[in-house]
Amino acid sequence: MNAPKKGSRPGRRRNRVRWSLLGLSVAAILVLGGYFAGPGWLVNRARHTADSDPRAAEEMLMEAIDRAGGEHPEAYLLLSRVLGMQGRWIEATGAFAVASESECDPMQVLQLAEEAQNADQWTLSEIALSNVERSGIENPEVVRRALPLLYGLGTHVTVIDWARQLQELSPDDPLGWEFEARAHEARGQLLKAIRAYEEALDRRPEHPAELRERLVELLLETGDVARARTEMVELLSETSSFSVRLIHVRLLQLEAKFNDALAFCEELLVERPGDPDVLRLRGSLYLDLDQPRAAVDDLVRAVADDPRDARCHYQLSQAYLRLGQSDKAREHLRQRDRLIEMQERIRRLEAELERDRSNSGLRFELAELYEEAARPPSESQ
């Protein structure tokens, strides 16, 4: 059979099919191009660009918001983070205020809260965490990520609430108990903190030595020497860190094993000559052994390192009294009383601020106290 001649009907039919297919392809490209250049595509592109070029990401997000008619919470949320990357935190707070009017992805909001805390932007972090709380805390992964951020804000009552929520959502997870313990400890509720640390340890945490170290310290603070010894045996099998060995010396002191404790102090000072924590502890041991002159030598060096150590001032006052130097003893007692009063005022204001986070007067008064507490005693008088 001969091939059809040029311009024959079958040839024209095939050409029309080709042109039709080409037209459909062009139309598809135009449609898909319009889709991919839409707000969602711009937001995704900005997300992949943000770390390397936040300014370019900002421009993409502004374009996405404009194309969405100003209604794109996801774009505003990412814009808040991108502005923060550029140090423009006031604008970042404003962008998030718009985003927070709608429901946002809580994990993305927590990312913003974390970045704000890392930059000491506590107000924005607090607003972001409040947004997560309003959206509900039924997802254990959200609660896990939020707990350290809430603890960083100092909202200890909220930390306890969220920690207990995690305990219900994931009964075998030690993190809920760990943060409940930390919050109780920060609030001075030591017995509650001890119980929560024990609950956390029962659930086999990833780093048991950290939690057991805090537990032993609290047991020593509350005078439960027998339980502290039991936990210390376990702790020494987990780690031989400098801080744990220092706590062991304190335990020996409470067990009235003064010479053993003193021998351990000498070992620690060989490892870290002049360490103020060891000097402070050795000075108190010298007091127990009725060697006030040696105690003064160590405690003077320790208090020079931390003039805000109320306990060290008290121990110095006792050493000077035994040496018959009553004027110096009274001066250190006065410093001790003043520091305790300041610490009590700070704790009281922190508790009030936790109940009323929007009280700017409390924030200002507390900031002044923090500043005063950071100054040497001679400048605070």
Side-chain angles (χ1 to χ4, degrees):
M1 183 176 178
N2 295 329
K5 295 180 180 179
K6 185 177 180 180
S8 66
R9 188 169 299 159
R12 288 197 299 271
R13 187 179 299 114
R14 282 194 294 271
N15 286 336
R16 283 199 298 271
V17 170
R18 290 193 190 100
W19 282 109
S20 298
L21 290 173
L22 180 60
L24 289 172
S25 299
V26 170
I29 290 170
L30 291 173
V31 170
L32 290 173
Y35 170 76
F36 284 120
W41 182 82
L42 287 167
V43 171
N44 286 331
R45 188 178 172 200
R47 182 171 287 111
H48 288 96
T49 307
D51 290 334
S52 60
D53 192 348
R55 182 63 186 175
E58 179 189 350
E59 292 175 359
M60 295 176 205
L61 292 167
M62 294 302 294
E63 177 67 18
I65 291 167
D66 183 62
R67 293 190 184 190
E71 299 290 335
H72 204 303
E74 185 183 3
Y76 275 111
L77 175 55
L78 183 55
L79 178 62
S80 181
R81 291 184 54 210
V82 166
L83 291 168
M85 292 175 187
Q86 300 174 71
R88 294 156 59 189
W89 288 105
I90 294 177
E91 295 170 81
T93 303
F96 181 69
V98 177
S100 64
E101 293 175 0
S102 304
E103 188 171 340
C104 299
D105 179 351
M107 297 301 278
Q108 292 295 320
V109 177
L110 288 171
Q111 180 68 31
L112 171 64
E114 182 177 350
E115 290 165 355
Q117 281 195 18
N118 290 339
D120 292 330
Q121 298 296 318
W122 300 100
T123 299
L124 176 54
S125 181
E126 185 174 354
I127 294 170
L129 287 165
S130 296
N131 176 272
V132 174
E133 187 173 12
R134 286 197 306 272
S135 67
I137 49 175
E138 300 302 322
N139 184 337
E141 290 303 320
V142 170
V143 181
R144 286 189 190 98
R145 187 164 184 185
L147 278 171
L149 299 173
L150 289 164
Y151 186 79
L153 281 179
T155 54
H156 299 128
V157 172
T158 306
V159 170
I160 292 169
D161 290 341
W162 283 52
R164 289 176 176 170
Q165 177 74 2
L166 182 57
Q167 291 162 20
E168 292 183 11
L169 294 170
S170 300
D172 295 328
D173 191 336
L175 194 68
W177 288 103
E178 176 185 344
F179 274 96
E180 180 175 345
R182 292 186 185 212
H184 283 312
E185 184 179 353
R187 290 167 59 82
Q189 299 169 329
L190 302 190
L191 295 178
K192 290 182 178 180
I194 286 171
R195 176 182 173 274
Y197 277 125
E198 289 174 334
E199 291 283 354
L201 286 165
D202 286 344
R203 286 160 176 78
R204 302 182 181 277
E206 186 176 350
H207 304 291
E210 274 181 43
L211 302 187
R212 203 178 308 278
E213 182 175 343
R214 292 303 312 139
L215 174 59
V216 172
E217 288 211 77
L218 294 184
L219 290 169
L220 293 179
E221 286 290 324
T222 56
D224 195 339
V225 177
R227 287 172 67 195
R229 169 53 66 188
T230 300
E231 294 294 340
M232 178 57 73
V233 170
E234 188 71 24
L235 181 57
L236 288 171
S237 72
E238 295 169 343
T239 179
S240 59
S241 69
F242 189 89
S243 62
V244 166
R245 285 179 286 150
L246 196 61
I247 296 169
H248 188 212
V249 174
R250 288 176 54 203
L251 175 57
L252 290 169
Q253 182 180 25
L254 289 174
E255 292 173 330
K257 299 175 181 177
F258 303 128
N259 289 317
D260 289 344
L262 199 59
F264 275 111
C265 279
E266 301 302 334
E267 290 181 14
L268 292 172
L269 285 170
V270 169
E271 187 174 332
R272 293 189 188 177
D275 184 274
D277 292 326
V278 183
L279 291 175
R280 186 179 297 108
L281 190 48
R282 189 175 69 172
S284 69
L285 284 165
Y286 281 137
L287 272 179
D288 291 330
L289 293 167
D290 199 23
Q291 299 179 34
R293 171 51 58 195
V296 165
D297 291 342
D298 277 352
L299 293 171
V300 164
R301 293 167 66 188
V303 85
D305 176 75
D306 182 7
R308 296 294 170 182
D309 188 333
R311 182 179 296 180
C312 199
H313 279 292
Y314 176 75
Q315 290 171 337
L316 263 174
S317 74
Q318 299 307 297
Y320 280 125
L321 274 176
R322 294 186 195 183
L323 292 171
Q325 300 181 36
S326 55
D327 288 344
K328 289 185 177 180
R330 279 194 294 270
E331 172 60 22
H332 283 286
L333 273 177
R334 189 185 68 79
Q335 292 286 359
R336 190 280 305 262
D337 292 344
R338 185 172 173 281
L339 288 167
I340 288 176
E341 180 187 355
M342 186 184 303
Q343 290 163 3
E344 288 297 327
R345 287 172 61 200
I346 287 174
R347 276 194 289 267
R348 176 178 56 81
L349 288 174
E350 285 176 337
E352 291 181 18
L353 187 60
E354 194 166 347
R355 291 190 294 268
D356 184 8
R357 303 292 298 178
S358 62
N359 191 321
S360 57
L362 283 176
R363 288 180 183 275
F364 181 75
E365 187 177 354
L366 195 54
E368 285 191 324
L369 271 177
Y370 286 146
E371 185 178 350
E372 184 180 357
R375 292 196 297 266
S378 59
E379 297 180 18
S380 303
Q381 296 171 13

